[in-house]
Structure formats: C-alpha cells, structure tokens
mmCIF file of all heavy atoms in Angstrom:
data_model
loop_
_atom_site.group_PDB
_atom_site.id
_atom_site.type_symbol
_atom_site.label_atom_id
_atom_site.label_comp_id
_atom_site.label_asym_id
_atom_site.label_seq_id
_atom_site.Cartn_x
_atom_site.Cartn_y
_atom_site.Cartn_z
ATOM 1 N N ILE K 1 0.891 -1.158 0.090
ATOM 2 C CA ILE K 1 0.068 -0.042 -0.058
ATOM 3 C C ILE K 1 0.899 1.140 -0.003
ATOM 4 O O ILE K 1 2.080 1.212 0.531
ATOM 5 C CB ILE K 1 -1.027 -0.030 1.151
ATOM 6 C CG1 ILE K 1 -0.111 0.087 2.490
ATOM 7 C CG2 ILE K 1 -1.895 -1.120 1.119
ATOM 8 C CD1 ILE K 1 -1.066 0.248 3.728
ATOM 9 N N ILE K 2 0.320 2.356 -0.552
ATOM 10 C CA ILE K 2 1.122 3.525 -0.646
ATOM 11 C C ILE K 2 1.143 4.367 0.638
ATOM 12 O O ILE K 2 2.152 4.817 1.170
ATOM 13 C CB ILE K 2 0.648 4.427 -1.763
ATOM 14 C CG1 ILE K 2 0.771 3.567 -3.165
ATOM 15 C CG2 ILE K 2 1.415 5.643 -1.981
ATOM 16 C CD1 ILE K 2 0.059 4.197 -4.410
ATOM 17 N N ASP K 3 0.003 4.655 1.142
ATOM 18 C CA ASP K 3 -0.184 5.491 2.268
ATOM 19 C C ASP K 3 -1.481 5.169 2.947
ATOM 20 O O ASP K 3 -2.324 4.425 2.514
ATOM 21 C CB ASP K 3 -0.077 6.859 1.980
ATOM 22 C CG ASP K 3 -1.073 7.273 0.834
ATOM 23 O OD1 ASP K 3 -2.087 6.686 0.705
ATOM 24 O OD2 ASP K 3 -0.713 8.198 0.099
ATOM 25 N N LYS K 4 -1.703 5.793 4.116
ATOM 26 C CA LYS K 4 -2.893 5.750 4.915
ATOM 27 C C LYS K 4 -4.150 6.101 4.174
ATOM 28 O O LYS K 4 -5.156 5.457 4.268
ATOM 29 C CB LYS K 4 -2.835 6.473 6.229
ATOM 30 C CG LYS K 4 -4.025 5.969 7.196
ATOM 31 C CD LYS K 4 -3.770 6.688 8.591
ATOM 32 C CE LYS K 4 -4.812 6.288 9.554
ATOM 33 N NZ LYS K 4 -6.184 6.567 9.142
ATOM 34 N N ARG K 5 -4.022 7.045 3.212
ATOM 35 C CA ARG K 5 -5.233 7.411 2.487
ATOM 36 C C ARG K 5 -5.744 6.362 1.655
ATOM 37 O O ARG K 5 -6.921 6.050 1.574
ATOM 38 C CB ARG K 5 -4.715 8.652 1.606
ATOM 39 C CG ARG K 5 -5.898 9.144 0.536
ATOM 40 C CD ARG K 5 -5.336 9.916 -0.607
ATOM 41 N NE ARG K 5 -4.490 9.194 -1.322
ATOM 42 C CZ ARG K 5 -4.760 8.281 -2.222
ATOM 43 N NH1 ARG K 5 -6.043 8.009 -2.596
ATOM 44 N NH2 ARG K 5 -3.798 7.682 -2.923
ATOM 45 N N GLN K 6 -4.838 5.641 1.038
ATOM 46 C CA GLN K 6 -5.157 4.451 0.147
ATOM 47 C C GLN K 6 -5.864 3.443 1.022
ATOM 48 O O GLN K 6 -6.906 2.819 0.624
ATOM 49 C CB GLN K 6 -4.006 3.858 -0.559
ATOM 50 C CG GLN K 6 -4.363 2.810 -1.519
ATOM 51 C CD GLN K 6 -3.091 2.180 -2.217
ATOM 52 O OE1 GLN K 6 -2.243 1.701 -1.442
ATOM 53 N NE2 GLN K 6 -3.047 2.230 -3.495
ATOM 54 N N LEU K 7 -5.405 3.167 2.188
ATOM 55 C CA LEU K 7 -5.865 2.168 3.160
ATOM 56 C C LEU K 7 -7.274 2.560 3.630
ATOM 57 O O LEU K 7 -8.300 1.785 3.641
ATOM 58 C CB LEU K 7 -4.957 1.927 4.309
ATOM 59 C CG LEU K 7 -5.440 0.980 5.434
ATOM 60 C CD1 LEU K 7 -5.649 -0.426 4.749
ATOM 61 C CD2 LEU K 7 -4.420 0.970 6.579
ATOM 62 N N ASP K 8 -7.403 3.822 3.866
ATOM 63 C CA ASP K 8 -8.729 4.376 4.421
ATOM 64 C C ASP K 8 -9.816 4.211 3.343
ATOM 65 O O ASP K 8 -11.043 3.970 3.647
ATOM 66 C CB ASP K 8 -8.582 5.773 4.827
ATOM 67 C CG ASP K 8 -7.801 5.972 6.102
ATOM 68 O OD1 ASP K 8 -7.703 4.943 6.893
ATOM 69 O OD2 ASP K 8 -7.410 7.064 6.393
ATOM 70 N N GLU K 9 -9.457 4.376 2.007
ATOM 71 C CA GLU K 9 -10.372 4.270 1.018
ATOM 72 C C GLU K 9 -10.876 2.803 0.842
ATOM 73 O O GLU K 9 -11.985 2.662 0.548
ATOM 74 C CB GLU K 9 -9.686 4.673 -0.325
ATOM 75 C CG GLU K 9 -9.540 6.258 -0.472
ATOM 76 C CD GLU K 9 -8.783 6.657 -1.719
ATOM 77 O OE1 GLU K 9 -8.463 5.743 -2.471
ATOM 78 O OE2 GLU K 9 -8.621 7.826 -2.031
ATOM 79 N N VAL K 10 -9.965 1.952 1.049
ATOM 80 C CA VAL K 10 -10.366 0.414 1.001
ATOM 81 C C VAL K 10 -11.351 0.227 2.164
ATOM 82 O O VAL K 10 -12.420 -0.475 1.879
ATOM 83 C CB VAL K 10 -9.152 -0.430 1.009
ATOM 84 C CG1 VAL K 10 -9.609 -1.882 1.053
ATOM 85 C CG2 VAL K 10 -8.225 -0.211 -0.202
ATOM 86 N N VAL K 11 -10.981 0.717 3.265
ATOM 87 C CA VAL K 11 -11.774 0.407 4.511
ATOM 88 C C VAL K 11 -13.194 1.084 4.289
ATOM 89 O O VAL K 11 -14.296 0.354 4.499
ATOM 90 C CB VAL K 11 -11.221 1.052 5.731
ATOM 91 C CG1 VAL K 11 -12.164 1.195 6.865
ATOM 92 C CG2 VAL K 11 -9.946 0.402 6.287
ATOM 93 N N LEU K 12 -13.421 2.269 3.791
ATOM 94 C CA LEU K 12 -14.568 2.823 3.395
ATOM 95 C C LEU K 12 -15.421 2.119 2.397
ATOM 96 O O LEU K 12 -16.657 2.028 2.384
ATOM 97 C CB LEU K 12 -14.487 4.325 3.000
ATOM 98 C CG LEU K 12 -13.952 5.283 4.208
ATOM 99 C CD1 LEU K 12 -13.683 6.648 3.647
ATOM 100 C CD2 LEU K 12 -14.953 5.348 5.293
ATOM 101 N N ASP K 13 -14.737 1.518 1.487
ATOM 102 C CA ASP K 13 -15.392 0.848 0.324
ATOM 103 C C ASP K 13 -15.982 -0.489 0.903
ATOM 104 O O ASP K 13 -16.973 -0.976 0.585
ATOM 105 C CB ASP K 13 -14.348 0.433 -0.806
ATOM 106 C CG ASP K 13 -15.072 -0.034 -2.001
ATOM 107 O OD1 ASP K 13 -16.305 0.190 -2.098
ATOM 108 O OD2 ASP K 13 -14.410 -0.248 -3.039
ATOM 109 N N ILE K 14 -15.211 -1.133 1.954
ATOM 110 C CA ILE K 14 -15.677 -2.365 2.528
ATOM 111 C C ILE K 14 -16.984 -2.023 3.291
ATOM 112 O O ILE K 14 -17.933 -2.651 3.228
ATOM 113 C CB ILE K 14 -14.649 -2.868 3.515
ATOM 114 C CG1 ILE K 14 -13.545 -3.425 2.736
ATOM 115 C CG2 ILE K 14 -15.215 -4.015 4.371
ATOM 116 C CD1 ILE K 14 -12.347 -3.955 3.488
ATOM 117 N N LYS K 15 -16.979 -0.913 4.045
ATOM 118 C CA LYS K 15 -18.134 -0.464 4.789
ATOM 119 C C LYS K 15 -19.316 -0.288 3.855
ATOM 120 O O LYS K 15 -20.425 -0.505 4.140
ATOM 121 C CB LYS K 15 -17.850 0.756 5.596
ATOM 122 C CG LYS K 15 -16.794 0.560 6.734
ATOM 123 C CD LYS K 15 -17.270 -0.219 7.810
ATOM 124 C CE LYS K 15 -18.356 0.621 8.640
ATOM 125 N NZ LYS K 15 -18.887 -0.121 9.744
ATOM 126 N N ALA K 16 -18.970 0.311 2.641
ATOM 127 C CA ALA K 16 -20.127 0.596 1.699
ATOM 128 C C ALA K 16 -20.867 -0.578 1.261
ATOM 129 O O ALA K 16 -21.962 -0.539 0.784
ATOM 130 C CB ALA K 16 -19.480 1.306 0.538
ATOM 131 N N GLN K 17 -20.182 -1.773 1.267
ATOM 132 C CA GLN K 17 -20.759 -3.010 0.768
ATOM 133 C C GLN K 17 -21.970 -3.442 1.661
ATOM 134 O O GLN K 17 -22.614 -4.277 1.289
ATOM 135 C CB GLN K 17 -19.740 -4.118 0.647
ATOM 136 C CG GLN K 17 -18.495 -3.715 -0.121
ATOM 137 C CD GLN K 17 -18.948 -3.323 -1.530
ATOM 138 O OE1 GLN K 17 -19.800 -3.809 -2.165
ATOM 139 N NE2 GLN K 17 -18.230 -2.225 -1.948
ATOM 140 N N PHE K 18 -21.957 -2.916 2.870
ATOM 141 C CA PHE K 18 -22.989 -3.172 3.862
ATOM 142 C C PHE K 18 -24.068 -2.250 3.937
ATOM 143 O O PHE K 18 -24.939 -2.286 4.763
ATOM 144 C CB PHE K 18 -22.383 -3.503 5.240
ATOM 145 C CG PHE K 18 -21.485 -4.689 5.293
ATOM 146 C CD1 PHE K 18 -20.136 -4.547 5.028
ATOM 147 C CD2 PHE K 18 -21.885 -5.846 5.619
ATOM 148 C CE1 PHE K 18 -19.327 -5.644 4.996
ATOM 149 C CE2 PHE K 18 -21.224 -7.097 5.553
ATOM 150 C CZ PHE K 18 -19.783 -6.922 5.302
ATOM 151 N N ILE K 19 -23.992 -1.184 3.157
ATOM 152 C CA ILE K 19 -25.145 -0.122 3.102
ATOM 153 C C ILE K 19 -26.475 -0.600 2.667
ATOM 154 O O ILE K 19 -27.486 -0.471 3.305
ATOM 155 C CB ILE K 19 -24.649 1.150 2.203
ATOM 156 C CG1 ILE K 19 -23.384 1.744 2.972
ATOM 157 C CG2 ILE K 19 -25.819 2.024 2.216
ATOM 158 C CD1 ILE K 19 -22.755 3.025 2.157
ATOM 159 N N ASP K 20 -26.361 -1.279 1.473
ATOM 160 C CA ASP K 20 -27.614 -1.907 0.988
ATOM 161 C C ASP K 20 -28.035 -3.043 1.845
ATOM 162 O O ASP K 20 -27.233 -3.845 2.305
ATOM 163 C CB ASP K 20 -27.399 -2.438 -0.388
ATOM 164 C CG ASP K 20 -27.113 -1.351 -1.327
ATOM 165 O OD1 ASP K 20 -27.569 -0.097 -1.185
ATOM 166 O OD2 ASP K 20 -26.675 -1.498 -2.551
ATOM 167 N N GLU K 21 -29.291 -3.109 2.090
ATOM 168 C CA GLU K 21 -29.917 -4.107 3.043
ATOM 169 C C GLU K 21 -29.859 -5.559 2.404
ATOM 170 O O GLU K 21 -29.770 -5.658 1.183
ATOM 171 C CB GLU K 21 -31.330 -3.818 3.314
ATOM 172 C CG GLU K 21 -32.206 -3.642 2.103
ATOM 173 C CD GLU K 21 -33.518 -2.856 2.292
ATOM 174 O OE1 GLU K 21 -33.624 -2.087 3.388
ATOM 175 O OE2 GLU K 21 -34.502 -3.186 1.506
ATOM 176 N N PHE K 22 -29.818 -6.572 3.212
ATOM 177 C CA PHE K 22 -29.886 -7.760 2.811
ATOM 178 C C PHE K 22 -31.336 -8.320 3.020
ATOM 179 O O PHE K 22 -32.169 -7.777 4.019
ATOM 180 C CB PHE K 22 -28.927 -8.748 3.552
ATOM 181 C CG PHE K 22 -27.514 -8.552 3.373
ATOM 182 C CD1 PHE K 22 -26.919 -7.434 4.082
ATOM 183 C CD2 PHE K 22 -26.764 -9.179 2.527
ATOM 184 C CE1 PHE K 22 -25.600 -7.152 3.858
ATOM 185 C CE2 PHE K 22 -25.389 -8.897 2.365
ATOM 186 C CZ PHE K 22 -24.917 -7.804 3.038
ATOM 187 N N LYS K 23 -31.811 -9.312 2.337
ATOM 188 C CA LYS K 23 -33.239 -9.848 2.533
ATOM 189 C C LYS K 23 -33.227 -11.382 2.580
ATOM 190 O O LYS K 23 -32.457 -12.069 2.062
ATOM 191 C CB LYS K 23 -34.003 -9.446 1.279
ATOM 192 C CG LYS K 23 -34.305 -7.918 1.110
ATOM 193 C CD LYS K 23 -35.314 -7.596 0.122
ATOM 194 C CE LYS K 23 -35.644 -6.123 0.059
ATOM 195 N NZ LYS K 23 -36.625 -5.737 -0.997
ATOM 196 N N THR K 24 -34.131 -11.807 3.333
ATOM 197 C CA THR K 24 -34.468 -13.247 3.671
ATOM 198 C C THR K 24 -35.285 -13.746 2.390
ATOM 199 O O THR K 24 -35.684 -12.937 1.563
ATOM 200 C CB THR K 24 -35.290 -13.449 4.876
ATOM 201 O OG1 THR K 24 -36.555 -13.049 4.808
ATOM 202 C CG2 THR K 24 -34.587 -12.799 6.109
ATOM 203 N N LEU K 25 -35.488 -14.992 2.412
ATOM 204 C CA LEU K 25 -36.248 -15.641 1.364
ATOM 205 C C LEU K 25 -37.709 -15.158 1.281
ATOM 206 O O LEU K 25 -38.220 -15.123 0.192
ATOM 207 C CB LEU K 25 -36.247 -17.193 1.495
ATOM 208 C CG LEU K 25 -34.853 -17.898 1.359
ATOM 209 C CD1 LEU K 25 -34.877 -19.289 1.591
ATOM 210 C CD2 LEU K 25 -34.221 -17.571 0.021
ATOM 211 N N SER K 26 -38.115 -14.683 2.408
ATOM 212 C CA SER K 26 -39.462 -14.157 2.514
ATOM 213 C C SER K 26 -39.520 -12.588 2.355
ATOM 214 O O SER K 26 -40.476 -11.927 2.821
ATOM 215 C CB SER K 26 -40.170 -14.599 3.855
ATOM 216 O OG SER K 26 -39.396 -14.085 4.938
ATOM 217 N N ASN K 27 -38.388 -12.041 1.862
ATOM 218 C CA ASN K 27 -38.158 -10.646 1.734
ATOM 219 C C ASN K 27 -38.227 -9.745 2.982
ATOM 220 O O ASN K 27 -38.488 -8.630 2.992
ATOM 221 C CB ASN K 27 -39.300 -9.989 0.822
ATOM 222 C CG ASN K 27 -39.003 -10.380 -0.664
ATOM 223 O OD1 ASN K 27 -37.758 -10.421 -1.074
ATOM 224 N ND2 ASN K 27 -40.028 -10.619 -1.417
ATOM 225 N N GLU K 28 -37.894 -10.495 4.166
ATOM 226 C CA GLU K 28 -37.669 -9.725 5.433
ATOM 227 C C GLU K 28 -36.347 -8.984 5.332
ATOM 228 O O GLU K 28 -35.352 -9.631 4.884
ATOM 229 C CB GLU K 28 -37.764 -10.699 6.564
ATOM 230 C CG GLU K 28 -37.551 -9.970 7.894
ATOM 231 C CD GLU K 28 -37.838 -10.795 9.072
ATOM 232 O OE1 GLU K 28 -38.258 -11.912 8.837
ATOM 233 O OE2 GLU K 28 -37.369 -10.424 10.144
ATOM 234 N N VAL K 29 -36.341 -7.737 5.722
ATOM 235 C CA VAL K 29 -35.057 -6.982 5.618
ATOM 236 C C VAL K 29 -34.192 -7.234 6.741
ATOM 237 O O VAL K 29 -34.575 -7.288 7.967
ATOM 238 C CB VAL K 29 -35.445 -5.474 5.555
ATOM 239 C CG1 VAL K 29 -34.157 -4.596 5.587
ATOM 240 C CG2 VAL K 29 -36.176 -5.134 4.207
ATOM 241 N N ILE K 30 -32.913 -7.389 6.362
ATOM 242 C CA ILE K 30 -31.782 -7.584 7.460
ATOM 243 C C ILE K 30 -30.798 -6.386 7.229
ATOM 244 O O ILE K 30 -30.160 -6.391 6.150
ATOM 245 C CB ILE K 30 -31.123 -9.055 7.300
ATOM 246 C CG1 ILE K 30 -32.244 -10.147 7.621
ATOM 247 C CG2 ILE K 30 -30.030 -8.995 8.337
ATOM 248 C CD1 ILE K 30 -31.641 -11.400 7.401
ATOM 249 N N ASN K 31 -30.540 -5.711 8.257
ATOM 250 C CA ASN K 31 -29.575 -4.640 8.103
ATOM 251 C C ASN K 31 -28.308 -5.261 8.856
ATOM 252 O O ASN K 31 -28.031 -5.074 10.000
ATOM 253 C CB ASN K 31 -29.947 -3.377 8.843
ATOM 254 C CG ASN K 31 -31.170 -2.687 8.253
ATOM 255 O OD1 ASN K 31 -31.069 -2.539 6.929
ATOM 256 N ND2 ASN K 31 -32.192 -2.500 8.888
ATOM 257 N N LEU K 32 -27.446 -5.832 8.070
ATOM 258 C CA LEU K 32 -26.282 -6.537 8.593
ATOM 259 C C LEU K 32 -25.066 -5.621 8.590
ATOM 260 O O LEU K 32 -24.892 -4.700 7.647
ATOM 261 C CB LEU K 32 -25.876 -7.638 7.553
ATOM 262 C CG LEU K 32 -24.783 -8.575 7.978
ATOM 263 C CD1 LEU K 32 -25.164 -9.303 9.341
ATOM 264 C CD2 LEU K 32 -24.438 -9.644 6.982
ATOM 265 N N THR K 33 -24.434 -5.555 9.643
ATOM 266 C CA THR K 33 -23.131 -4.704 9.778
ATOM 267 C C THR K 33 -22.053 -5.513 9.999
ATOM 268 O O THR K 33 -21.973 -6.709 10.301
ATOM 269 C CB THR K 33 -23.364 -3.673 10.821
ATOM 270 O OG1 THR K 33 -23.553 -4.311 12.153
ATOM 271 C CG2 THR K 33 -24.564 -2.703 10.740
ATOM 272 N N ALA K 34 -20.780 -4.846 9.912
ATOM 273 C CA ALA K 34 -19.534 -5.559 9.998
ATOM 274 C C ALA K 34 -18.632 -4.667 10.916
ATOM 275 O O ALA K 34 -18.619 -3.440 10.685
ATOM 276 C CB ALA K 34 -18.984 -6.023 8.763
ATOM 277 N N SER K 35 -17.905 -5.210 11.798
ATOM 278 C CA SER K 35 -16.852 -4.596 12.478
ATOM 279 C C SER K 35 -15.420 -4.843 11.906
ATOM 280 O O SER K 35 -15.219 -6.043 11.540
ATOM 281 C CB SER K 35 -16.834 -4.991 13.988
ATOM 282 O OG SER K 35 -18.118 -4.554 14.577
ATOM 283 N N LEU K 36 -14.666 -3.757 11.660
ATOM 284 C CA LEU K 36 -13.420 -3.944 10.987
ATOM 285 C C LEU K 36 -12.265 -3.786 11.919
ATOM 286 O O LEU K 36 -12.214 -2.773 12.730
ATOM 287 C CB LEU K 36 -13.320 -2.945 9.836
ATOM 288 C CG LEU K 36 -13.892 -3.454 8.595
ATOM 289 C CD1 LEU K 36 -15.469 -3.672 8.594
ATOM 290 C CD2 LEU K 36 -13.715 -2.179 7.400
ATOM 291 N N GLY K 37 -11.308 -4.715 11.805
ATOM 292 C CA GLY K 37 -10.006 -4.592 12.550
ATOM 293 C C GLY K 37 -8.935 -4.306 11.446
ATOM 294 O O GLY K 37 -8.855 -5.112 10.534
ATOM 295 N N VAL K 38 -8.047 -3.395 11.648
ATOM 296 C CA VAL K 38 -7.002 -3.000 10.615
ATOM 297 C C VAL K 38 -5.702 -3.073 11.161
ATOM 298 O O VAL K 38 -5.427 -2.449 12.289
ATOM 299 C CB VAL K 38 -7.344 -1.574 10.006
ATOM 300 C CG1 VAL K 38 -6.310 -1.360 8.863
ATOM 301 C CG2 VAL K 38 -8.764 -1.529 9.526
ATOM 302 N N PHE K 39 -4.775 -3.722 10.534
ATOM 303 C CA PHE K 39 -3.324 -3.665 10.989
ATOM 304 C C PHE K 39 -2.441 -3.407 9.792
ATOM 305 O O PHE K 39 -2.610 -4.043 8.655
ATOM 306 C CB PHE K 39 -2.914 -5.056 11.588
ATOM 307 C CG PHE K 39 -1.450 -5.152 11.967
ATOM 308 C CD1 PHE K 39 -0.874 -4.385 12.936
ATOM 309 C CD2 PHE K 39 -0.616 -5.980 11.125
ATOM 310 C CE1 PHE K 39 0.414 -4.417 13.238
ATOM 311 C CE2 PHE K 39 0.803 -5.996 11.530
ATOM 312 C CZ PHE K 39 1.308 -5.289 12.528
ATOM 313 N N SER K 40 -1.516 -2.476 10.124
ATOM 314 C CA SER K 40 -0.666 -2.029 8.896
ATOM 315 C C SER K 40 0.632 -1.638 9.451
ATOM 316 O O SER K 40 0.691 -1.061 10.511
ATOM 317 C CB SER K 40 -1.295 -0.868 8.124
ATOM 318 O OG SER K 40 -0.445 -0.465 7.130
ATOM 319 N N CYS K 41 1.679 -1.957 8.741
ATOM 320 C CA CYS K 41 3.049 -1.523 9.113
ATOM 321 C C CYS K 41 3.951 -1.703 8.031
ATOM 322 O O CYS K 41 3.762 -2.472 7.066
ATOM 323 C CB CYS K 41 3.444 -2.109 10.444
ATOM 324 S SG CYS K 41 4.077 -3.824 10.304
ATOM 325 N N ASN K 42 5.272 -1.277 8.203
ATOM 326 C CA ASN K 42 6.329 -1.551 7.251
ATOM 327 C C ASN K 42 6.829 -3.114 7.516
ATOM 328 O O ASN K 42 6.886 -3.496 8.704
ATOM 329 C CB ASN K 42 7.537 -0.570 7.408
ATOM 330 C CG ASN K 42 7.095 0.788 6.938
ATOM 331 O OD1 ASN K 42 6.395 0.893 6.052
ATOM 332 N ND2 ASN K 42 7.614 1.871 7.607
ATOM 333 N N VAL K 43 7.172 -3.720 6.458
ATOM 334 C CA VAL K 43 7.811 -5.010 6.683
ATOM 335 C C VAL K 43 8.987 -5.039 7.557
ATOM 336 O O VAL K 43 9.136 -5.979 8.334
ATOM 337 C CB VAL K 43 8.233 -5.607 5.160
ATOM 338 C CG1 VAL K 43 8.900 -6.963 5.329
ATOM 339 C CG2 VAL K 43 7.094 -5.655 4.356
ATOM 340 N N SER K 44 9.932 -4.042 7.520
ATOM 341 C CA SER K 44 11.060 -3.955 8.424
ATOM 342 C C SER K 44 10.659 -3.949 9.842
ATOM 343 O O SER K 44 11.396 -4.202 10.816
ATOM 344 C CB SER K 44 11.884 -2.867 8.014
ATOM 345 O OG SER K 44 11.202 -1.691 8.140
ATOM 346 N N GLU K 45 9.488 -3.357 10.249
ATOM 347 C CA GLU K 45 9.016 -3.134 11.511
ATOM 348 C C GLU K 45 8.231 -4.401 12.180
ATOM 349 O O GLU K 45 7.895 -4.438 13.298
ATOM 350 C CB GLU K 45 8.254 -1.935 11.613
ATOM 351 C CG GLU K 45 8.876 -0.583 11.280
ATOM 352 C CD GLU K 45 8.048 0.572 11.136
ATOM 353 O OE1 GLU K 45 6.637 0.421 11.376
ATOM 354 O OE2 GLU K 45 8.433 1.546 10.896
ATOM 355 N N LEU K 46 8.022 -5.324 11.257
ATOM 356 C CA LEU K 46 7.098 -6.469 11.740
ATOM 357 C C LEU K 46 7.911 -7.337 12.596
ATOM 358 O O LEU K 46 9.057 -7.979 12.218
ATOM 359 C CB LEU K 46 6.622 -7.288 10.513
ATOM 360 C CG LEU K 46 5.561 -8.364 10.788
ATOM 361 C CD1 LEU K 46 4.363 -7.766 11.426
ATOM 362 C CD2 LEU K 46 5.296 -9.076 9.499
ATOM 363 N N VAL K 47 7.391 -7.715 13.810
ATOM 364 C CA VAL K 47 8.201 -8.466 14.715
ATOM 365 C C VAL K 47 7.976 -10.001 14.380
ATOM 366 O O VAL K 47 8.874 -10.810 14.469
ATOM 367 C CB VAL K 47 7.676 -8.262 16.211
ATOM 368 C CG1 VAL K 47 8.416 -9.272 17.134
ATOM 369 C CG2 VAL K 47 7.969 -6.793 16.540
ATOM 370 N N ASP K 48 6.699 -10.380 14.005
ATOM 371 C CA ASP K 48 6.509 -11.798 13.566
ATOM 372 C C ASP K 48 5.844 -11.724 12.209
ATOM 373 O O ASP K 48 5.632 -10.699 11.625
ATOM 374 C CB ASP K 48 5.573 -12.508 14.632
ATOM 375 C CG ASP K 48 4.224 -11.745 14.847
ATOM 376 O OD1 ASP K 48 3.774 -11.174 13.934
ATOM 377 O OD2 ASP K 48 3.939 -11.645 16.065
#
C-alpha cells in the first residue's frame, strides 16, 4: 500500500458493501453490519 489514504479508501469501500440491506427468502429486511480490525506496518518493523 502507498499510504494511509489508500488504506482508508479501501476500509470505506468495505463499509459501503453493507449499506444496501440484505433480504431473507420471505423478503424480510436484514440490516447486517460488520466490525473492521485493521493492522498495517512496514515489513522491516514487523516482529512476527
């Protein structure tokens, strides 16, 4: 990745995938959400 801006854009795009509602087979609406955990660093700084 180039910088945090690029990473933040991906995170927001992931969140956007959950904006539209999901529906059951009987057309009941489900507002599904997702919690995101993000880890980023330089390869040289990675301990494991």
